[in-house]
Amino acid sequence: MANSLFLFSLFLFMAVSLAAGTQFRVGGTGTWAIPDSNAMSYNQWAEKNRFQVGDSISFMYLPDKDSVLLVDADAYNSCNTSSHIDEFNDGNTVFTFARSGAFHFISGIKDNCDKNEKLVVVVMVDRSNSSSLAPAAPPTSSSSSPPPPPSEGATGEPTPTPNAASSKVVGVISTFGAILGALSYVF
Ligand SMILES: *[C@@H]1O[C@H](CO)[C@@H](O)[C@H](O)[C@H]1NC(C)=O
Ligand SMILES: *[C@@H]1O[C@H](CO)[C@@H](O)[C@H](O)[C@H]1NC(C)=O
């Protein structure tokens, strides 16, 4: 029993790690500065990536030399640093996308923003909607063979609850099953 409890904890840990989302480094490197004229712009980088709700982006810069402003589209277009939705100046900013839609980031230094130290990230609609892997389950009331009730530790097999990350978790479960099988030889 203690063994399966351990495995269940491990499973939970893995599921939570997946749900936490991807952390992107701004521009691919994480450096927040005036882009090199030959290098890819921050927006060119952003267009190559898929951002989803729960993902985050990190910005690294010298805290006394630069900052990150979250602004609206107007302030973004005009590099207006006097009005902002949020301001970060700790030098190592990690911003998590809590909703879908557009996020506009500019440097807190207007001159840097004018030199293209700015970025729009478009976050796609919620994971649960974008995953077309799992077809909609039929209503349980009309099901002729309802699933067996959860056995209170009779088998020791945890019954994962479906959630937003279920399509990803399925992959983990199969991997997990292999680990479980391997471990049952040991114990
Ligand atoms: C910047 O935004 C503020 C608030 O919206 C506005 O009052 C100000 O005129 C703007 N400055 C410029 C230069 O557009
Ligand atoms: C998810 O899909 C449902 C039904 O298709 C829709 O009503 C809902 O607005 C969608 N949610 C998001 C965040 O797009």
Side-chain angles (χ1 to χ4, degrees), residues 100 125-126 129:
S100 57
V125 293
D126 197 89
N129 270 24

Side-chain angles (χ1 to χ4, degrees), residues 30-149:
T31 304
W32 184 234
I34 298 167
D36 211 298
S37 52
N38 301 320
M40 197 166 50
S41 77
Y42 286 115
N43 282 333
Q44 285 170 325
W45 166 80
E47 281 159 16
K48 291 181 195 297
N49 289 284
R50 276 168 57 103
F51 299 90
Q52 292 179 302
V53 174
D55 289 350
S56 56
I57 186 168
S58 67
F59 302 81
M60 286 184 301
Y61 49 92
L62 292 174
D64 51 342
K65 294 267 162 51
D66 212 332
S67 61
V68 182
L69 302 184
L70 177 67
V71 296
D72 62 21
D74 284 345
Y76 173 86
N77 289 324
S78 60
C79 283
N80 186 342
T81 55
S82 64
S83 68
H84 49 76
I85 300 162
D86 215 338
E87 178 178 25
F88 308 96
N89 52 20
D90 55 8
N92 194 350
T93 300
V94 177
F95 181 88
T96 301
F97 303 109
R99 57 158 176 88
S100 57
F103 291 81
H104 299 81
F105 299 99
I106 64 173
S107 167
I109 298 174
K110 181 172 166 52
D111 191 46
N112 288 15
C113 176
D114 288 335
K115 290 174 177 152
N116 226 15
E117 190 181 328
K118 62 198 300 198
L119 167 76
V120 183
V121 171
V122 178
V123 177
M124 314 206 318
V125 293
D126 197 89
R127 264 175 219 280
S128 51
N129 270 24
S130 58
S131 77
S132 51
L133 294 172
T140 46
S141 53
S142 70
S143 176
S144 52
S145 55

